[in-house]
Every structure is written in C-alpha cells, then in structure tokens.
Amino acid sequence: MTTEPLTLTRPSTEELYKFLGTKLNRNLAMYFQSCQRCGACAENCHYYKATGDPKMIPAYKAELVRRLYKRQQGSFLNILPWFGSRDGELSDDELQLLVDSVFGRCTMCRRCTINCPMGIDIAMIMRACRGMLTLAHLAPKGLQATVDKHLQTGNNMGVSSQEFVETVKWMEEELQKDVGDPNCTIPIDKPGAKNLWVLNPREVMFFPLLLKAQAKIFYAAGEDYTLSSRSWDVTNYALFNGDDVAARTIAGYVLSEADRLGIKKILCTECGHGMRQLKQMAPIWLKRNDFQVRAFVEVVADYIRRERIKLDPKVNQERVTYHDPCNQGRSAGYIEEPRYVLRHSVMDYVDLLPSGRDNWCCGGGGGALTMSEFRSRRLDAAKVKADQLKASGAKIVATSCHNCIDQLNEINRHYNLGMKVVNTCELTADALVLARPKDDHDGEGYLKDPSIWNWDMAQIIAIRERVGDLTEDHRRIIEYVRNYYDTHKDWPLPARIGKDLDVKRSGLFNRSPEVLFKVAGLPNPGDHITWDVRGLKDCGEK
Amino acid sequence: MADAWSKLIYMTLPYITLAILVLGIVYRVKRWKKLPRAKSIIFPTKPNRTGTVKAVAKDILLFTKTYKSSRALWVMAFLLHIGLLLVIMGHIRTVTEISWLWGLFNLSKDGIDDASMILGSIAGTLMLAGIILLLVRRLTPTWRFLSIFEDYYVLLILLGIVFTGLGMRWFSEIEVNEIHDYSRGVLTLSPSADITNAWFLWHFTLAQTLIIYFPFSKLVHVFSKPVTEAWTTR
C-alpha cells in the first residue's frame, strides 16, 4: 500500500483515543479480556484460509485494536512493562498498519464470531477501530466517497430524482408489456401505501431489469406498495466506515420518507447490509422502533406460503445454488426463507458446503468492493468461495445481496467458473404463473368474509399460518377471542387474553396476536392495531 | 534465610493472595460495570432462553466450537481443561476430607490414598500433556506470530505448577495429612510453616503467583465465556 500525503489535518492522538473511549462498551471490554489468541478463528477466516498469512488471523487484527485500547485506557497494570502501555503519539506507520488490517483484511462477515470459543464479535471491534480511522481521515477513499456521496445526494451513486423517476417509468412500461396489463403501475410517492419499497442504487443505475422482476412479483401478489422519489436508497456504507453520525443520518433518510408517506412497513430490495442496518441498527441509532423492516426473500416466502403467488419451477431447469449474504444470513437470520423461495422457483437446488450460517463470505463484504487499493487481496481471499462454488456443480449461483452479486461476478471472471450469477428475484420472477389464485382471504391472510368461518376452516388457516394442529388450548383461546369480538366488537389485547385465560407464556399461535385473529376468523384489524409488535422482537436492546 | 523465605510463603503470602484475588475481581467487575451497555444487536436471539442455555452449556462442557474449528486445538485444550477439572476436584482433599463421598464408593482411608495416587497422577499427566502441546503449538511460526507474552506466561506458570505437583507426588515423601493440617491452619488464621518439602514450597508459590495474576489476565474467561457466548450463540 502506498502512503499518500494527507490533505486534511489529522486529529491529535488524544482526540482519536477519546473517540475510542466513546466506542468502548461492556461487550468490547469483555471481548478484549477474554481473547485467548487460540487461533480457532484462523480457520474460519477466508483471508487466512486462502493465503495462510498469520497477519490475516482475526485474533491478530483484534489484538491490534486491543493494544490501542490498552494504551488509551491505561490501568495499574502499566507498572509491569510487558503488560502495559507505551506512551506517545500514534505514528503514521501504526495508523497505516491499522488501516491495512481493519479495512483491508476483514469483511466483517462474522464467520469467526459464530465459531469463536469465546464468542468474540470481531466485527464490533473492527467497527470501533474503523470509526477511529475515519475520524483520522484515513478510511479508504472509495469507501469514504460512497458515504459522502450518499450524504450529499441522498443515494450512494448520485442518481437525481428525475433520472430515478424516468427509470421507474421506463420499467413500468416494460412491466405492462410483460404482464399484458396496461393498468399495472409501479407507484411512486403514493401516500398511505402499506409498504415502502426501498432500492439499491445499483439496480437503478445498472440493472433496472431487477426492478421489473421485483415489481412483477409484487404485481402478481397484489401487493400494496410504493417507491419514494426522494429517499429510496436502502444502502448505508457508514455501517462499514464506523461513522455513527453519518450512519444515523443516512438511516434517517429512508425513515423520514416513510413518515412523510405515512408508512410503517419497509420492504427492502435484495440488499444484505441495507436490510440489516435498517432492521437491527436503525432502531438504536434513531432510538425508535415503530416501524417494521422486511427482507425481500422473507416477503416472497410469505407470498408463496399464503399462495399469493403461483410459481412454476419447470422454467428454471439448471442446477442452482444459493450464496448466503453474511448480513442477511448469518447476522439477520434469514436462512430458511431464501431456500424456501428457491425450492419453489427452480427444479434443481443444491446447498453449498458449508451453507447457512456457516457459509463463506463472498469476500466483498464490509465495503470491500469500494476499496480499490485492496482489490488483489480481495480476489485472492475469494479463492475459498470459488472452490466452494466449483464443488457445488451448480450452473447458476443465486444470492440475495447486490454487493455479493458484484463480488461473485468478479470471482466468476477471475477464477473462470463459467457460472451465471443472479438475484433470487430473477429466478422467482421467471417462474411466476400470472393467473392469481382465487382465494377466500385477503392479501394478509384474514378472511374476506368472516361470517363463513368454521372450525375446519380454522384448522386450514392454522396450517397456513404454521400453527399446526389445533389443540384444546388453541380452541379455548379461539373461543374466547370470538366471544370477546362478538360482545365488544373489538380485538382483544394480547395482555388481556393472557390474563383472562392464564396462557401468557404458552407460545401458542407463534406468539403473534395477528396469527390468532386470522385463525379465529376475525376481520382484518388494519390500522386499528397500534400495538402490533410483530417483527420487532429482534430490535430490543441487549 | 531459607527459613524466613518459607515463613513468608507459608504464613503471609496466602492472605495477600486471597486479598488480591478478591479485591482484583471486585475492581475489575466495578470498572466493567461503569461502561455503557452495548446497544447493537450481535445476532438475533433465540426465541427461547433454554435453547441458548443448552447450546452454551454444551459448548462449555464439550468445546464444540473449538472442535468444529480445529481438531488439534480441541485435543490440546480439552486435555488441559479436563485435567484441570480433575485436579481441582482432587485439591478439595487438601482442605477437607469428604468422608461421606468416599463412603459411597466403599473406600477406606488407604483406598482413597491409592485411588488419589492413581487418579491424581492421571489428571496431572493429562494436564501436563495439554500444556506442553499448547506450548509447542504456540512456538510454531504462525501461532508464535499471534501470541503475546501473556499467552506464554500463563502456560509456563501452569507448566511449573503441574510439574512441581507431580514431582511432589512421585519424587518426594509428603503425606496429605501434613497439607491438610497446614491448610486448616491457614483457614483458622494460625498458619504454620512446618512443611519442609521443597517440591511443595515451589508448587505452592507458583500456584499463588497464578492466583494473584488471575483477575488481570485472560484467565477471566472462566467468568466471561458464558456471558459472551450467550450473546453470540443462537
């Protein structure tokens, strides 16, 4: 790496240490103290596995940051020279080594974390240090430029609002031709829609057909959604440069648009980190959790389960495998959904080995694709992924993350894999059968006509909602809820049900009042339910 | 001089050690509690707490995560820890005789001594093997690059403790009663310095060095591991 002359004045060492101090929390302190440097992480890092270079071992990278903290914190252990801190300024060399390590040798994929015997979250450590280096104006230029562009223009590629609307209109025409329905639209700025659909600028700039593919699925499912012409970018690269202020601002763009349009449900495109930062980080950055974030695969899996769309897998005959994006799979827990979608969309699906939570990172995570200075290292480390893909024998690799797609395309070229890299939405859109099934329930699973409810129907709905066979307890609660509704013409609060029937912790009906109401055949409460906490259970503070 | 030295080790040091251990842990926990809680979600949590507890307990008992990552490391770590567990259990005898327990196994006083001679030696040897393997592993180029002084220091002290402990069993005449009497003396605040066994002197000194170091070292993973694991285990 070449050191270029700095154009901005770097903050003093004290200021940098002060910043580190603000990032220190109970988790980090415990991580630093409990790392045994046993090296179990080494085998779980694709950088180390591909190169065998000990500088790539996650524990070493964490140790570099730990040393910073030892100096910053100080302690009475400093009286023993070998434990303690060395005083003095952070030199250029030290800072460059840190840049090289925390930006250039880690994609924050957290595969080491789930396999660490001590449960150390390396990504949290890396992010603290990345934040410090960003403060010192040392973050890789490509990454910083992406964040700056997002702050300046509202999306990370600087697409103007007019350009965006034109692209969407163009795709709307294409979609109308495709589905043969001149009335089908891709709504923009439609207030009061149920879902706000947010995009990755990569789709708008380079792959507008992906917009069409997704819109086609929404059309088939009869989804009520809208795009925003102002803030439609789900990405947030400040998650990777560790700048919390920027991260908060960027996450706020999307949420303020949702507020403007009066929408509580955000529907993310297939963008791994964008979905995760909105779902898991934004509630903390912005101190609010009155919104619900859903990943695209989650939504499509839901459509299939509720028979809102019909798929014909025979369209996709070739063998398909799925690459788990780290942010969506390992970190946000969407393991089953994409597989469910693919099994319904293609004839021949195989898992990679290892897959699911243990799947290897594509090598482009953590903003690595924006850091051109580390390109050759990134591609070397991707050998692990390339071998894994080769071993699967698949012709097509699907994934649900735009960042992964770019990296997988590069791997494909670099290692001559001869595979096709696609988004899962493309395969699903191709397999769509557009005649919508006739159904007795509305889009969300409530009966259109509650008066036709009977116990047989309750059992059918229960299976569709994944409750399973109805037991005595289920029936008792259903009877209670129906009686309550008949008397009060209102939906009972879950707390009240629990209190009256003493079933508080039973876990029946998947702990969801909505599911209960659906099975009990109550009408759709729509906006009456303000205490709907479904989907937010992951957002509470640790 | 030698006499004064052993008096210091036997009569004063145990109390200093204990004070540092307790105060050290209190100090560390207090400092830790001053820090803010982490707000970010590490991983989506399991829907039920029992699932997490089970997974963490399994990992603590069997080192499943280490096994998954590296078999060689698992063998070494498991030897060390299982040996350590047995040794710690054996050391209960230096403070108190658990006669009801021996009764369960139909062991007489001599029987216990024989059993402890064999079991203790096995436990010590397991631990010794684990420590030596881990030390050798640390000295290979990759892991030497990763290791810091603390890593060697802990292993070396442990090696010294186990070596002197085994030496005391194998190469010297020392009755468990002597140690029993001494530890009773320490507990009743009337310590004596009667034991003249050099192996024991070294064993005892090194062990206290480790205990003093405990609250400030990576050895606190005894306490922190269940917590950090619960954060990340799904």
Side-chain angles (χ1 to χ4, degrees), chain A residues 229-270:
Chain A
S229 59
R230 296 190 201 164
S231 298
W232 43 268
D233 185 358
V234 68
T235 64
N236 189 346
Y237 276 80
L239 181 70
F240 301 136
N241 80 351
D243 184 349
D244 277 347
V245 180
R248 194 175 296 130
T249 315
I250 292 173
Y253 286 165
V254 167
L255 288 176
S256 58
E257 267 310 278
D259 289 344
R260 182 175 72 93
L261 297 167
I263 300 173
K264 290 290 174 214
K265 291 184 176 178
I266 294 168
L267 204 164
C268 296
T269 183
E270 299 197 84

Side-chain angles (χ1 to χ4, degrees), chain A residues 78-215:
Chain A
N78 297 356
I79 44 173
L80 299 178
W82 53 77
F83 298 116
S85 61
R86 300 188 305 276
D87 289 327
E89 298 285 307
L90 280 168
S91 69
D92 283 354
D93 287 348
E94 274 175 292
L95 285 168
Q96 282 307 331
L97 175 68
L98 281 170
V99 171
D100 197 52
S101 297
V102 304
F103 284 107
R105 293 185 204 139
C106 181
T107 57
M108 296 164 114
C109 77
R110 313 213 287 178
R111 194 175 189 274
C112 50
T113 301
I114 60 160
N115 289 310
C116 173
M118 296 298 146
I120 293 167
D121 186 359
I122 297 284
M124 189 188 268
I125 299 175
M126 292 298 123
R127 190 161 189 275
C129 188
R130 283 183 175 201
M132 185 198 86
L133 294 169
T134 302
L135 188 71
H137 311 299
L138 287 169
K141 291 199 170 50
L143 179 60
Q144 193 53 47
T146 311
V147 177
D148 291 344
K149 188 130 216 167
H150 201 148
L151 287 170
Q152 286 155 14
T153 66
N155 64 75
N156 74 28
M157 286 181 187
V159 183
S160 73
S161 188
Q162 188 196 354
E163 240 178 302
F164 172 72
V165 173
E166 275 168 16
T167 311
V168 175
K169 287 291 164 209
W170 170 36
M171 277 305 121
E172 192 177 85
E173 283 165 28
E174 292 291 316
L175 181 64
Q176 286 166 352
K177 275 184 227 156
D178 193 345
V179 300
D181 179 357
N183 297 323
C184 120
T185 54
I186 303 179
I188 300 178
D189 291 336
K190 175 181 153 197
K194 279 220 176 80
N195 294 283
L196 177 65
W197 181 27
V198 279
L199 304 172
N200 186 315
R202 187 179 165 276
E203 294 171 299
V204 182
M205 284 285 272
F206 306 117
F207 303 93
L209 285 175
L210 292 175
L211 285 183
K212 196 190 93 182
Q214 293 175 76

Side-chain angles (χ1 to χ4, degrees), chain B residues 96-192:
Chain B
T96 173
E97 279 295 348
I98 332 163
S99 36
W100 59 267
L101 185 63
W102 311 134
L104 287 182
F105 295 104
N106 261 336
L107 286 171
S108 64
K109 180 79 184 66
D110 290 343
I112 304 156
D113 285 344
D114 288 348
S116 120
M117 188 71 199
I118 297 162
L119 266 178
S121 301
I122 292 173
T125 316
L126 289 180
M127 220 180 136
L128 192 67
I131 294 166
I132 291 175
L133 285 171
L134 282 170
L135 209 49
V136 170
R137 178 174 179 271
R138 285 245 178 247
L139 292 170
T140 54
T142 304
W143 310 114
R144 194 166 58 215
F145 178 80
L146 187 62
S147 305
I148 61 171
F149 178 83
E150 183 184 355
D151 303 325
Y152 301 111
Y153 180 72
V154 170
L155 280 175
L156 284 171
I157 297 231
L158 271 172
L159 183 69
I161 296 172
V162 176
F163 178 70
T164 49
L166 286 172
M168 184 165 61
R169 282 174 169 276
W170 294 343
F171 309 124
S172 77
E173 296 288 322
I174 185 159
E175 284 295 318
V176 74
N177 285 345
E178 280 180 72
I179 300 166
H180 197 169
D181 291 343
Y182 166 70
S183 58
R184 275 299 165 88
V186 173
L187 288 178
T188 53
L189 301 182
S190 52
S192 62

Side-chain angles (χ1 to χ4, degrees), chain A residues 1 6 23 30 43 56 89 96 98 147 205 221 288 316 332 350 356 372 379 427 507:
Chain A
M1 224 197 107
L6 295 168
K23 294 292 271 183
M30 222 175 212
E43 285 300 312
M56 304 289 181
E89 298 285 307
Q96 282 307 331
L98 281 170
V147 177
M205 284 285 272
R288 56 182 281 193
N316 298 308
V350 284
S372 48
L379 285 173
L427 296 171

